[in-house]
Amino acid sequence: EVQLQASGGGLVQPGGSLRLSCAASGFTISDYSIAWFRQAPGKEREGVGCISNSDRSTYYADSVKGRFTISSDNAKNTVYLQMINLKPEDTAVYYCAARRREVSNNSWYHKAFRPDWWNDWGQGTQVTVSS
């Protein structure tokens, strides 16, 4: 059974940093593409970025490019979302998702940025950016 466990959220001041973890069980992360999504109150869930199972290429939403970085540790079977220079508008519940399919630059921007493309989800972790 595919299971994902997101953690690492918390309260951080604007300009601060935070690292989220997505621990996987029941499958090997190198076989799956893993994505991060977020959902703010009253808003739709939006794609933040993903790491592809093919060559571990990463793709990001324009709103987080240059500030967020996705990486993976195969030994720990965990994917990370490093966030720097956080802004109040980054406040949301963050989720990780998985699908055993390659993501390319084209597919990220055309379909994989949407939540309905992904098969398996973890529970969310709250990130609050506030002074």
Side-chain angles (χ1 to χ4, degrees):
E1 180 186 4
V2 172
Q3 290 190 330
L4 300 162
Q5 179 84 27
S7 62
L11 173 64
V12 62
Q13 292 187 340
S17 301
L18 209 57
R19 189 179 78 162
L20 306 183
S21 298
C22 176
S25 59
F27 70 102
T28 302
I29 60 169
S30 58
D31 293 335
Y32 282 67
S33 294
I34 307 293
W36 285 96
F37 284 80
R38 66 186 181 185
Q39 188 165 18
K43 294 188 176 181
E44 293 186 353
R45 192 168 297 189
E46 65 170 346
V48 172
C50 78
I51 183 166
S52 179
N53 65 344
S54 58
D55 57 2
R56 311 319 274 170
S57 292
T58 53
Y59 308 100
Y60 300 95
D62 289 344
S63 58
V64 306
K65 276 182 183 176
R67 300 189 299 121
F68 289 13
T69 303
I70 296 174
S71 62
S72 62
D73 185 332
N74 289 345
K76 295 183 178 180
N77 215 35
T78 299
V79 173
Y80 302 99
L81 178 66
Q82 178 69 52
M83 306 182 291
I84 65 171
N85 192 22
L86 282 160
K87 305 175 181 180
E89 51 264 42
D90 295 318
T91 295
V93 178
Y94 283 71
Y95 300 87
C96 53
R99 183 169 176 174
R100 190 167 184 165
R101 190 163 177 179
E102 176 185 356
V103 176
S104 66
N105 186 63
N106 184 64
S107 63
W108 168 252
Y109 287 105
H110 284 83
K111 51 188 176 183
F113 72 97
R114 299 197 319 250
D116 60 3
W117 193 85
W118 298 85
N119 296 133
D120 299 287
W121 291 82
Q123 92 299 343
T125 185
Q126 175 71 47
V127 172
T128 303
V129 185
S130 175
S131 56

